[in-house]
Amino acid sequence: KKKTIKISAEKRKSEFLMHRQQKMNRYSSERDALFKGRAVDSSVTAEKTHDMYEEENDSMVQSLAMKVAQLKSVTIDIGDEVRNQNKDLDEMDTDFDSTGGLLGNSMRRLKSLSKGGHNRVMCYLIVFVMFVFFLMYYMMR
């Protein structure tokens, strides 16, 4: 969607610039005619000048409208992205809270095992944990 918006915006911009260049070429020829003494009637030239300014203003208004539309689109996309990231962060917060609870329970059980004097069970637990870490290390390599 972003790509099509960007392409259509670039297309509109190039069309606008081409149209503006054509107008400027026409205006420069009218201006040359005015200053070289070809156009004598001041009411006609004032009317042409007024029309020229009106057309230029209209083209600038269209350009501004295009830019505002692009800005609106970008702003909406940013808002959507922020909402999605906030939702993801809330889910991560919930997951971390539940993981913290599980780790807390595991630590309490481990402390009770270590206080109970069950040395054999503690050795098995340590060997199992080391095995799991080595297995994870080997899998990640």
Side-chain angles (χ1 to χ4, degrees):
K1 182 179 177 182
K2 291 179 184 178
K3 197 172 196 177
T4 58
I5 291 172
K6 189 174 183 179
I7 291 171
S8 63
E10 289 175 3
K11 183 179 177 184
R12 285 185 282 183
K13 185 177 179 181
S14 66
E15 288 174 357
F16 168 75
L17 292 174
M18 197 163 66
H19 181 68
R20 187 173 182 184
Q21 185 64 34
Q22 289 172 351
K23 283 184 182 180
M24 293 306 284
N25 289 341
R26 190 178 82 220
Y27 295 147
S28 66
S29 65
E30 290 176 357
R31 186 175 174 192
D32 289 342
L34 176 67
F35 287 120
K36 290 182 181 176
R38 293 183 195 153
V40 200
D41 190 6
S42 64
S43 65
V44 172
T45 56
E47 194 175 302
K48 282 185 179 181
T49 305
H50 179 70
D51 290 342
M52 180 177 70
Y53 286 137
E54 283 294 321
E55 287 180 21
E56 187 176 351
N57 283 342
D58 290 341
S59 67
M60 292 175 94
V61 166
Q62 288 174 350
S63 171
L64 184 61
M66 286 184 345
K67 290 177 184 177
V68 168
Q70 289 173 347
L71 186 60
K72 180 182 176 184
S73 173
V74 168
T75 305
I76 289 171
D77 290 342
I78 289 172
D80 292 342
E81 186 66 28
V82 167
R83 278 190 283 284
N84 289 336
Q85 287 185 7
N86 280 338
K87 185 180 82 171
D88 291 342
L89 286 174
D90 288 341
E91 290 172 1
M92 284 176 58
D93 186 42
T94 304
D95 291 343
F96 283 135
D97 285 344
S98 65
T99 304
L102 289 173
L103 284 175
N105 290 336
S106 298
M107 289 302 293
R108 268 188 261 122
R109 288 180 188 157
L110 189 62
K111 283 182 185 179
S112 69
L113 273 177
S114 66
K115 288 182 183 177
H118 303 285
N119 293 334
R120 184 182 225 179
V121 174
M122 187 61 100
C123 285
Y124 287 140
L125 183 63
I126 290 172
V127 168
F128 176 72
V129 168
M130 289 175 58
F131 174 75
V132 169
F133 281 129
F134 283 122
L135 183 66
M136 287 176 54
Y137 174 74
Y138 179 73
M139 291 175 79
M140 294 179 93
R141 264 175 87 217

